[in-house]
Amino acid sequence: MADMRVELAGLKLANPVLLASGILDSTPGILARMADSGAGALVTKSISLEPRPGYAGPTVAEVAPGTWLNAMGLPNPGLAEFLDEFDLQGGLVPVIPNLVADTPEDFGKLAAGVAGAGAKLAEINLSCPHPRAGWSGLLTAQDPAAAATATAAAAAHLPVIAKLSPDVADIGAIAVACAEAGAAAVSAINTMPALDIDTELERPVLGNAFGGLSGPALLPIGLRCVLKAVRALRDAGHAMPVIGIGGISSGDDAAKYILCGAQAVQVGTSLGGNPERLGEIAAELGGWMERKGYATLDAFRGNALEWLP
Amino acid sequence: MRPVAAKLTEIDNRTSVGHSLWLTPCSGWEEQPEPGQFVMVALPHPPAGFGREVCDAVPMSVAGWEPGRLRLTIKDLGPTSAALLACRPGDMLAVTGPLGHGFSLDARQPLLMGGGVGAPPLLFLAQQLAASGIDPVTLLGGTTVDEIFHREEFPGIVEIATDDGSAGHHGFVTELLDGRSPDLLYSCGPEPMLVKGLEWALANGIRAELCLERYMPCGVGLCGVCTIDRQLVCQDGPVLGSEQLEHSAEFGKVVREAGGVVRHAPA
Ligand SMILES: Cc1cc2nc3c(=O)[nH]c(=O)nc-3n(C[C@H](O)[C@H](O)[C@H](O)COP(=O)(O)OP(=O)(O)OC[C@H]3O[C@@H](n4cnc5c(N)ncnc54)[C@H](O)[C@@H]3O)c2cc1C
Ligand SMILES: Cc1cc2nc3c(=O)[nH]c(=O)nc-3n(C[C@H](O)[C@H](O)[C@H](O)COP(=O)(O)O)c2cc1C
Ligand code: FES
């Protein structure tokens, strides 16, 4: 058996395949099922200080086989109820709360809250693809300075992963800004902002009009973003890890991200309708490593980097 | 799975609290759905007299089907259901589905028990059981006679119970269970009724299939809000067997509202 253990910001994980935020992670019950399915760690849905009911539907639409557009509207019960319901310290599989806020102050409050409840690592969502007026998501994602301020505010309380958007001119500059602000890691990518139109109804398909694209179509975009972030960090002399996200539906897809230098990966959309697929993807990655003769993840991580122009 | 535009072609089965809509989607629906499956039905444009805030997608059980057409029976429970009930023939809606897992058709001597808008999926089930030569017995309950949907349409024997005594037995529909010995209890309706139904079935060594409701932001197994314990009601359900619910920590106790906020069910 290949050794798939990996360390992420001080957490020791049994394997590098994590559950991505917002997919099958809204209640303790489903999170326990995803842990048993074989996740290396579990990222929760985005939690805000106050409850958010979510957007009007339709909230999801499959736009090409396996590829989805969604605008859930970050439905969540708010920090207080989240802390009441979820156990952030126990459990065999680490739970990584994902936090969303519109100001650095609120990121700080959220981070203090989850750190107080025992979380060892949090992910901050700097990249909501479909924010409403007053929601800062996509703006924070675009601006290295804003991303750094939000990161610093949260990182004052516990190690944080800054989650980045693909819809930016230079993801490398933003990753470096987050590293310099004290991030423990960056994760990339969030969904790609997108739109679909119904020709019968002559209106956007989703209730919110704009949504985020996820699933297989996102894989090549995610790989490019991860590779660019890894290289920019390396060039700037930062050893900070990058977590690859976007379009993973097999162990082979996960291997692609690690070949681009990712420390670990997260899987979301491909679990829709098939929660137990998460553990299968991890097992497939192990099978790939065995076939290739790799005993550890370090043995092949970043092998594709030398081909960069 | 994606929302498909669907024309409202016909309205029938009117009561003072709701009615049925027949929809013709632009594509799909050539194959018969399972009874108990549901759709996310969306209002793309507000009907006359309503604002855009009613435009939302909500889950509704399939109450009937013909090739290329489906029927929904809707009760006025709030803004979106009221707006759906204000739509007129010719109006366009959008449906995603059929979704989830429905009832098995395993029973030889089935007993069906429905409460309120639990009746619509049971009607579709009863029609399919009857079509395969099985005579269902159906118990229907409601607060008052007008809240009992489809009572004239069920094939086989139908018995009624109303809380106010306006029709049939004066009391809860679950009071009609005793003394019966079906090989399978199918039920859909308010959760306190389902809880009683499951208790009765377990006490009598009868298998039960119960159609549950949970708040559903997506309906397609992506978000994980609609859980009961570790099961996704939109995907593993909405119909769950007695073996899936008998040891549940949440059945009859925990439901969630928008955002996943916990609301403990009334005792
Ligand atoms: C699988 C399933 C099948 C259903 N079948 C039928 C049916 O055949 N006929 C019928 O009349 N009703 C049915 N319902 C209930 C129906 O979905 C609600 O009545 C409707 O969503 C109410 O929306 P509203 O805006 O009118 O009212 P609101 O005031 O918004 O809500 C009224 C009630 O409906 C619930 N509700 C609102 N939105 C949702 C949602 N997205 N998902 C789940 N519950 C919601 C609320 O929690 C509340 O309890 C079904 C529900 C589920 C889960
Ligand atoms: C239904 C849905 C909900 C999501 N919710 C969140 C969220 O709350 N917070 C977040 O940071 N990302 C959210 N995402 C983005 C995913 O975590 C992930 O970055 C993206 O979907 C790409 O990965 P995938 O192709 O494997 O799904 C969501 C994605 C989907 C499909
Ligand atoms: S409603 Fe989203 S998973 Fe069931």
Side-chain angles (χ1 to χ4, degrees):
Chain A
M1 269 286 282
D3 181 356
M4 300 223 284
R5 284 176 303 174
V6 65
E7 199 173 309
L8 186 64
L11 287 182
K12 291 181 170 44
L13 312 183
N15 75 66
V17 181
L18 283 56
L19 176 66
S21 176
I23 296 99
L24 299 175
D25 55 2
S26 296
T27 67
I30 192 69
L31 216 53
R33 177 162 166 191
M34 301 313 287
D36 286 354
S37 132
L42 305 157
V43 183
T44 72
K45 68 171 161 184
S46 286
I47 303 300
S48 48
L49 277 179
E50 299 303 324
R52 290 187 186 182
Y55 292 151
T59 55
V60 295
E62 195 173 16
V63 294
T67 290
W68 290 74
L69 191 61
N70 93 81
M72 303 301 304
L74 302 172
N76 81 87
L79 179 68
E81 183 165 321
F82 171 75
L83 293 180
D84 246 20
E85 260 212 294
F86 287 75
D87 177 8
L88 298 181
Q89 33 189 350
L92 293 173
V93 181
V95 175
I96 301 172
N98 176 301
L99 313 175
V100 68
D102 297 312
T103 63
E105 294 71 43
D106 285 357
F107 270 118
K109 286 184 195 159
L110 286 161
V114 295
K120 302 283 183 297
L121 178 62
E123 184 174 69
I124 54 174
N125 181 356
L126 303 180
S127 45
C128 173
H130 40 68
R132 286 266 164 98
W135 291 19
S136 64
L138 213 46
L139 295 175
T140 312
Q142 308 280 342
D143 176 3
T149 322
T151 301
H157 303 279
L158 81 171
V160 297
I161 305 164
K163 183 165 178 180
L164 308 184
S165 170
D167 191 27
V168 297
D170 182 2
I171 197 167
I174 298 168
V176 169
C178 292
E180 285 167 2
V186 292
S187 55
I189 53 179
N190 208 319
T191 53
M192 186 74 188
L195 176 68
D196 194 14
I197 298 292
D198 187 306
T199 52
E200 283 305 322
L201 302 171
E202 302 185 10
R203 57 151 289 164
V205 174
L206 297 187
N208 184 61
F210 294 115
L213 199 74
S214 64
L218 213 58
L219 180 68
I221 300 172
L223 289 171
R224 171 179 179 271
C225 288
V226 164
L227 204 134
K228 288 190 70 177
V230 166
R231 187 172 57 173
L233 288 163
R234 188 192 57 189
D235 291 352
H238 295 291
M240 187 184 73
V242 176
I243 300 168
I245 321 172
I248 296 175
S249 56
S250 68
D252 210 56
D253 294 342
K256 290 182 187 183
Y257 276 103
I258 300 172
L259 286 166
C260 287
Q263 180 80 355
V265 298
Q266 296 179 12
V267 183
T269 302
S270 69
L271 309 175
N274 193 2
E276 276 64 38
R277 183 76 193 127
L278 188 63
E280 293 168 15
I281 292 173
E284 285 172 12
L285 176 63
W288 177 90
M289 288 170 65
E290 260 158 55
R291 183 167 64 74
K292 293 287 226 163
Y294 290 126
T296 65
L297 297 165
D298 287 340
F300 69 98
R301 182 178 290 113
N303 277 1
L305 285 168
E306 62 167 301
W307 292 96
L308 279 185
Chain B
M1 248 337 140
R2 56 183 280 126
V4 173
K7 183 176 271 175
L8 170 50
T9 51
E10 197 184 326
I11 292 174
D12 62 5
N13 178 44
R14 286 181 186 278
T15 80
S16 62
V17 290
H19 57 245
S20 302
L21 314 179
W22 280 96
L23 304 178
T24 304
C26 291
S27 62
W29 295 90
E30 291 307 324
E31 272 166 47
Q32 178 164 309
E34 293 169 21
Q37 283 191 303
F38 68 99
V39 295
M40 294 298 285
V41 56
L43 253 170
H45 307 285
F50 288 81
R52 285 192 174 186
E53 68 285 353
V54 298
C55 293
D56 196 357
V58 291
M60 292 287 164
S61 302
V62 175
W65 171 87
E66 289 166 6
R69 249 155 73 86
L70 73 148
R71 188 190 198 194
L72 307 177
T73 300
I74 299 177
K75 182 180 174 181
D76 182 350
L77 273 176
T80 303
S81 48
L84 286 166
L85 289 168
C87 292
R88 295 285 149 256
D91 286 352
M92 295 299 283
L93 302 175
V95 290
T96 306
L99 301 170
H101 286 88
F103 294 107
S104 73
L105 294 168
D106 291 345
R108 294 289 141 251
Q109 288 175 293
L111 179 63
L112 281 59
M113 177 171 70
V117 271
L122 292 180
L123 172 65
F124 187 37
L125 170 68
Q127 289 168 339
Q128 290 190 29
L129 289 168
S132 62
I134 292 163
D135 255 351
V137 175
T138 304
L139 314 175
L140 293 178
T143 47
T144 181
V145 62
D146 246 20
E147 303 236 339
I148 299 180
F149 286 96
H150 302 298
R151 61 188 183 283
E152 324 276 69
E153 292 181 75
F154 274 86
I157 299 166
V158 179
E159 290 182 35
I160 305 283
T162 50
D163 299 358
D164 66 357
S166 52
H169 172 71
H170 187 170
F172 293 133
V173 65
T174 46
E175 291 159 12
L176 300 176
L177 282 170
D178 279 336
R180 297 176 195 268
S181 48
D183 62 349
L184 190 50
L185 172 69
Y186 295 109
S187 191
C188 184
E191 202 146 308
M193 180 200 79
L194 297 178
V195 169
K196 284 224 175 76
L198 178 63
E199 280 168 7
W200 177 83
L202 291 172
N204 290 279
I206 296 163
R207 200 174 162 262
E209 293 185 9
L210 310 175
C211 185
L212 268 58
E213 285 188 12
R214 282 295 179 272
Y215 194 83
M216 293 183 178
C218 79
V220 299
L222 271 172
C223 71
V225 169
C226 66
T227 52
I228 178 158
D229 310 298
R230 299 158 68 114
Q231 299 162 108
L232 300 169
V233 172
C234 76
Q235 195 205 321
D236 303 310
V239 176
L240 295 172
S242 31
E243 61 289 345
Q244 288 164 290
L245 291 169
E246 135 170 54
H247 304 294
S248 169
E250 296 190 354
F251 181 52
K253 300 192 187 84
V254 178
V255 294
R256 286 166 201 278
E257 282 296 338
V261 174
V262 170
R263 175 161 64 75
H264 294 278

